[in-house]
Amino acid sequence: MSQKTKAAKTPTSLAEVIRRLNPNVPAGFGPVGMPRTPRDSNAMRQVRTHVTADPFAKVLLTGHIGVGKSTELLNLSHEMKDDRFVIWCSIAKTLGAHNADTFSLLVAILEASIRAWIEELGDLPPGLVEELVDHIRDLFPANKRPRKSATAGRLLFEPAMTMSMQRLERILGGSTPKPITGQELSRLYSEMLQRLALRHVAEDQLAVFDVSSFALSCEVLLKELASSAGKPVLLVIDDLDKIRNTGAQEDVFLDRAMAWMRLPCAVAATLPFEALFSPRGRELDHVWGDVHILDPLPIPELPGRSVDDQELKFYLAVLRSVNAQDVFSGVQCRKLAHLGSGLPRAFVNTAAACVRYAIDAGEEHIRDYHLDLVQQDLVARTRGRLNDSDYEALVAVLDTKGSNVPKAIQLLRDDVLIRDGNAPSDKQFRLASWVEPLVREYRSRTAQK
Amino acid sequence: MFMDLETFARGVLERSPSVALVTWKRISALRSFIDHVGHALRQSRSDTLVFKLPVAQLDRRTFSEKLLELVSRRDAGRICLLIYEIEPLAGTVGRILNGYRERLASFRGMVVAVRANRQRDFFLECPDLLDWIGTMTGRAEDLGTPLTLRRVTEAIRRFEESHGISSAEFVNRHKTRDRNDFSDAWQLEELIAIKSELEKARGT
């Protein structure tokens, strides 16, 4: 019997399972992530069709946090690798979603594009680097500098602003040589992103910059990249769905959307789910046209019939992908799927929590009481975070079968209220599993009154 | 706008100052244009010196230096300069050419090739040069693929090999109204006709 076969027959230890149950990176991201489990999705079929057919398609993908948007976009980028030059731009990694606005988004796109160029095609032509450096100079054009006034003087002498100007001056002909190679330019953009991520330049100071030059840089760079690569570019921008600030959402997706909508490449980006239900949500349809919602997975019934239930298959496959099929029984998998409320990340989180409990207890297998403990933890964690007005909003949505969602928009964002487009129209909005007991308590409390 | 290479070459060399713009979408069309335009220019005026200046790997300073070096030559008046692969620094090239516009008049002619999706970036930086370009424009896809006798003969040979029939036999069948039973027979007919015309033009 070969070593490999011997290893396959050894039961997987809980420690090995918990190492592999990683909900923090998209599935399929490489050795640190879980393998991706294929799923059927109308939204992704449409995204794939559009991006394949149109080399300049602009599509937005939205859905609950943890529903699998990053995983599916990552899979799309792997699938399109032969036909497109794919650039993966993760806002959370480089900038932080809380720092995102149109200006910083353009810098992130530039940084990701140059890095991808250097990795796949070698260094940039020196003339192109010069052009892009010229655009940086235009960031702070002389005719847009604040006039000499008391306010402007204070602005100019703000330490962060002064440092930025000094840095620019050093780069553009001062004592430090300006970037000549693509590597040096990439480093410069990375430094800009770091400064933006650390809020090194205040918002009122950022307002002085002319972002149109960075938009022009993106256009030029992407055109040259497509020409050098010999195929159209697909830009995948992840983590824009994590922008929580309404003003930033409107800036990026509505007010200054044209800055990146006109890029000469295909773009597939994530969109905050609550933006669809916000007061300006309808404008998104006019501006973007193509917004796709990745729905939660179907949830198997409790109790179920057998492990062959269609709704259970995905969850069993996820457990199998991390060799946890010996650790969880079919019934336990069903309960986990229910606890996860159709969100793959929640499923993986709850599975990992069960394994942690089992390891703490010195068990070799998951027991049913581990799942009960995890469920209690979820309910307890949510209990302190919801107040009566939240419960009222939830009940208003449920009882009106989907009306009044704008009142519960924060709860939709936080995955307390789940929207499932695959469900019948009068049941499209439901509660996350860990909220159901709390809403039941609220209803009985208010009924008693 | 020019649709064939010969007329284009004549047009470039007839005017003074002469600057022409050629746009392209396919790299193969650009390559073909660059390969053939020198010959067409020399056919039009045999003492023309054709210099090619690919810009892709140059920076602003080096491009300027090379341009000035050429424009300072004693025989600049015989030079037709081809500038291509300008896209990485399209704006910069436009700015430099616009700035040196008067000196460029020393050349017999100049042709700038730019990819279609960057021509706007080039135009924005050379408004004065655009006046000189005027209608001296063409597309590499139109200009870049002249049919030479050699190419047509080669194409006919490949056709003969693939279908196992000589062109003489093909023509005989056509004359005796026997059908040539392959779907691309019309292509061989066209090629044979073009070969005949080229041979006539050559005087063979």
Side-chain angles (χ1 to χ4, degrees):
Chain A
M1 191 184 290
S2 69
Q3 276 304 109
K4 224 179 191 179
T5 315
K6 271 191 193 162
K9 289 201 179 280
T10 308
T12 315
S13 72
L14 292 179
E16 284 168 32
V17 168
I18 202 168
R19 269 197 295 276
R20 303 191 69 185
L21 278 173
N22 184 356
N24 297 320
V25 294
F29 194 66
V32 297
M34 296 171 56
R36 175 183 173 264
T37 302
R39 63 192 278 187
D40 188 35
S41 159
N42 186 45
M44 286 313 299
R45 270 199 300 277
Q46 300 214 340
V47 167
R48 191 174 291 111
T49 302
H50 195 174
V51 166
T52 306
D54 180 2
F56 300 104
K58 306 289 186 288
V59 294
L60 294 180
L61 181 68
T62 188
H64 285 284
I65 291 179
V67 77
K69 298 184 294 297
S70 300
T71 298
E72 294 305 303
L73 284 180
L74 185 63
N75 183 56
L76 177 72
S77 67
H78 289 322
E79 286 178 349
M80 302 289 300
K81 220 169 39 167
D82 290 335
D83 298 322
R84 299 279 187 270
F85 186 95
V86 180
I87 301 169
W88 180 269
C89 179
S90 167
I91 298 298
K93 283 206 175 104
T94 52
L95 180 65
H98 56 294
N99 294 315
D101 63 3
T102 304
F103 172 67
S104 52
L105 175 62
L106 292 173
V107 179
I109 291 172
L110 279 168
E111 191 271 336
S113 304
I114 291 180
R115 192 163 24 91
W117 185 320
I118 292 171
E119 276 169 16
E120 309 262 342
L121 305 175
D123 207 355
L124 275 68
L128 181 59
V129 174
E130 277 185 335
E131 293 246 315
L132 296 177
V133 171
D134 280 348
H135 295 157
I136 297 175
R137 191 206 309 267
D138 290 339
L139 245 190
F140 203 65
N143 61 345
K144 291 195 179 180
R145 291 180 194 192
R147 290 201 192 87
K148 284 183 186 166
S149 67
T151 316
R154 267 205 306 280
L155 191 67
L156 284 174
F157 285 106
E158 284 282 353
M161 180 63 113
T162 311
M163 282 171 68
S164 300
M165 281 182 62
Q166 285 173 352
R167 172 78 180 142
L168 281 175
E169 282 162 5
R170 272 205 304 278
I171 289 163
L172 301 169
S175 55
T176 308
K178 61 183 177 184
I180 294 172
T181 65
Q183 291 278 11
E184 290 166 5
L185 188 60
S186 177
R187 209 170 301 131
L188 174 61
Y189 286 130
S190 293
E191 285 176 15
M192 276 193 200
L193 281 176
Q194 276 174 10
R195 285 171 182 268
L196 291 166
L198 295 171
R199 304 283 177 106
H200 207 76
V201 186
E203 277 181 37
D204 55 341
Q205 294 166 350
L206 275 178
V208 183
F209 291 126
D210 180 4
V211 303
S212 59
S213 60
F214 267 10
L216 184 57
S217 281
C218 286
E219 281 187 45
V220 167
L221 181 63
L222 288 167
K223 281 179 187 170
E224 293 313 308
L225 183 49
S227 178
S228 293
K231 47 189 170 179
V233 174
L234 168 61
L235 176 61
V236 181
I237 310 177
D238 194 17
D239 303 318
L240 287 179
D241 57 311
K242 297 177 180 63
I243 299 176
R244 291 174 78 91
N245 179 280
T246 313
Q249 289 177 5
E250 290 173 1
D251 177 55
V252 170
F253 292 102
L254 290 171
D255 299 333
R256 293 200 287 180
M258 203 45 66
W260 55 297
M261 278 187 80
R262 52 180 290 165
L263 292 178
C265 63
V267 175
T270 52
L271 168 77
F273 195 30
E274 69 274 16
L276 282 183
F277 303 93
S278 67
R280 295 184 70 185
R282 284 187 288 277
E283 280 182 61
L284 283 167
D285 296 330
H286 298 309
V287 172
W288 286 91
D290 235 346
V291 180
H292 302 282
I293 303 175
L294 187 61
D295 287 311
L297 294 159
I299 302 174
E301 284 174 7
L302 269 182
R305 290 182 294 278
S306 79
V307 292
D308 293 328
D309 280 352
Q310 192 61 33
E311 292 87 11
L312 193 56
K313 282 195 160 102
F314 176 86
Y315 303 99
L316 289 172
V318 169
L319 293 179
R320 237 178 275 121
S321 74
V322 295
N323 274 341
Q325 65 274 18
D326 300 329
V327 166
F328 290 92
S329 69
V331 172
Q332 289 169 343
C333 178
R334 190 181 287 274
K335 281 187 183 169
L336 274 178
H338 209 262
L339 272 179
S341 296
L343 303 177
R345 187 183 294 162
F347 173 77
V348 171
N349 265 326
T350 46
C354 291
V355 173
R356 277 196 298 275
Y357 269 119
I359 292 174
D360 277 347
E363 306 264 10
E364 285 185 5
H365 298 279
I366 303 297
R367 306 287 177 201
D368 287 350
Y369 78 89
H370 296 142
L371 276 87
D372 294 337
L373 286 171
V374 169
Q375 183 173 21
Q376 284 170 25
D377 286 345
L378 286 171
V379 172
R381 196 173 65 202
T382 312
R383 184 188 297 277
R385 295 176 180 177
L386 298 178
N387 55 32
D388 275 358
S389 63
D390 293 327
Y391 291 123
E392 265 176 50
L394 287 170
V395 165
V397 171
L398 295 173
D399 290 350
T400 57
K401 301 193 192 317
S403 294
N404 300 304
V405 172
K407 287 185 185 170
I409 203 170
Q410 311 290 358
L411 302 167
L412 192 75
R413 180 182 63 195
D414 296 336
D415 290 353
V416 170
L417 180 67
I418 306 284
R419 184 220 177 249
D420 184 356
N422 289 323
S425 55
D426 58 341
K427 291 183 182 164
Q428 281 198 353
F429 290 89
R430 57 178 161 82
L431 298 169
S433 67
W434 52 89
V435 181
E436 282 169 2
L438 299 172
V439 171
R440 273 198 301 273
E441 281 176 23
Y442 170 77
R443 282 190 194 270
S444 82
R445 191 159 35 93
T446 47
Q448 280 168 13
K449 281 182 190 169
Chain B
M1 188 163 176
F2 295 94
M3 299 292 286
D4 71 274
L5 192 60
E6 272 184 30
T7 323
F8 174 80
R10 256 201 316 276
V12 167
L13 298 176
E14 274 170 1
R15 293 166 54 149
S16 180
S18 175
V19 180
L21 182 82
V22 172
T23 59
W24 58 274
K25 285 187 179 169
R26 287 181 289 114
I27 190 74
S28 56
L30 172 70
R31 295 267 168 252
S32 181
F33 170 74
I34 297 297
D35 286 345
H36 292 99
V37 70
H39 177 69
L41 288 166
R42 279 189 291 273
Q43 272 203 318
S44 189
R45 273 179 83 171
S46 56
D47 66 335
T48 303
L49 298 172
V50 179
F51 278 73
K52 295 179 186 175
L53 182 53
V55 181
Q57 296 304 321
L58 303 182
D59 58 22
R60 175 183 311 153
R61 193 170 54 90
T62 322
F63 172 70
S64 256
E65 284 171 1
K66 284 186 185 282
L67 188 67
L68 287 176
E69 197 183 300
L70 286 170
V71 98
S72 309
R73 285 171 63 114
R74 291 176 69 178
D75 55 0
R78 289 169 54 200
I79 290 176
C80 186
L81 177 63
L82 307 181
I83 302 177
Y84 59 102
E85 290 178 359
I86 73 168
E87 292 76 25
L89 59 168
T92 301
V93 167
R95 216 162 29 245
I96 292 172
L97 292 179
N98 201 61
Y100 286 137
R101 190 171 48 117
E102 300 302 332
R103 297 197 67 175
L104 297 178
S106 311
F107 291 138
R108 183 171 283 179
M110 189 173 79
V111 179
V112 181
V114 64
R115 197 174 63 235
N117 67 356
R118 295 302 309 280
Q119 74 176 10
R120 181 179 156 274
D121 299 320
F122 174 72
F123 285 166
L124 282 174
E125 299 294 340
C126 60
D128 303 313
L129 195 69
L130 275 183
D131 290 339
W132 284 14
I133 291 172
T135 55
M136 294 277 293
T137 60
R139 296 184 327 141
E141 282 77 11
D142 296 330
L143 303 175
T145 54
L147 288 172
T148 61
L149 186 57
R150 187 164 66 90
R151 287 181 69 193
V152 171
T153 309
E154 179 61 30
I156 291 174
R157 189 185 61 74
R158 277 200 305 270
F159 214 97
E160 287 171 345
E161 271 172 15
S162 69
H163 290 285
I165 179 172
S166 70
S167 44
E169 207 176 314
F170 179 88
V171 169
N172 277 338
R173 277 200 200 171
H174 190 75
K175 279 182 184 167
T176 59
R177 294 179 196 261
D178 256 350
R179 290 181 57 193
N180 285 302
D181 277 333
F182 35 93
S183 58
D184 48 357
W186 65 270
Q187 285 187 21
L188 186 52
E189 278 177 37
E190 291 279 337
L191 285 168
I192 292 171
I194 292 168
K195 183 182 174 193
S196 165
E197 287 296 321
L198 288 170
E199 280 169 344
K200 255 193 239 169
R202 214 182 177 193
T204 54

